[in-house]
Amino acid sequence: QVQLVESGGGLVQAGGSLRLSCAASSRTFTGYAMGWFRQAPGKEREFVAAISWSGGTTYYADSVKGRFTISRGNVKSTVYLQMNSLKPEDTAVYYCAADERGVRAVVAAHDIGSWGQGTQVTVSS
């Protein structure tokens, strides 16, 4: 099983930026697609963005298109979420996810193989 550790959350004013990081630890972390989800208080967890193993394919939720960018590091076991033009409605706990079945499996969020513990993002108005 893959262990995922997120970092980079915090408090920011509306219009500001944050960069989340997620590092995966596994002896055999090859071929995993990765993604980000978020859960606001009183709401269900929702998809934010996903990226294929190669980094060549990305998907975004409509609510974050044009503002958020997902990318993989030089070490492919790391994924980033650059969040710009943040809005109060982006406030949530952000979770990293990984699945060896590919990027569409991450987007579908069905029985995802591995989740991180979450990092809080708070956007003040």
Side-chain angles (χ1 to χ4, degrees):
Q1 188 171 0
V2 177
Q3 289 187 327
L4 303 174
V5 178
E6 302 101 333
S7 61
L11 173 64
V12 64
Q13 288 188 333
S17 298
L18 280 175
R19 189 192 196 203
L20 304 183
S21 301
C22 173
S25 61
S26 171
R27 287 186 176 181
T28 57
F29 192 78
T30 300
Y32 280 76
M34 298 182 76
W36 291 93
F37 291 75
R38 67 187 181 186
Q39 187 168 20
K43 295 186 178 181
E44 293 189 353
R45 188 177 299 186
E46 64 175 2
F47 168 76
V48 175
I51 189 166
S52 62
W53 168 251
S54 69
T57 302
T58 57
Y59 293 93
Y60 295 93
D62 288 343
S63 58
V64 306
K65 280 181 182 177
R67 300 188 298 122
F68 291 10
T69 302
I70 189 170
S71 62
R72 299 191 85 122
N74 290 332
V75 177
K76 288 190 175 181
S77 59
T78 302
V79 66
Y80 304 101
L81 185 68
Q82 178 66 43
M83 305 185 294
N84 299 328
S85 302
L86 283 161
K87 305 174 181 179
E89 51 262 43
D90 294 318
T91 295
V93 177
Y94 284 70
Y95 296 90
C96 179
D99 199 297
E100 59 186 336
R101 296 173 295 170
V103 66
R104 291 187 178 183
V106 174
V107 175
H110 180 65
D111 289 336
I112 284 183
S114 301
W115 291 97
Q117 82 288 351
T119 185
Q120 177 70 46
V121 172
T122 303
V123 184
S124 62
S125 57

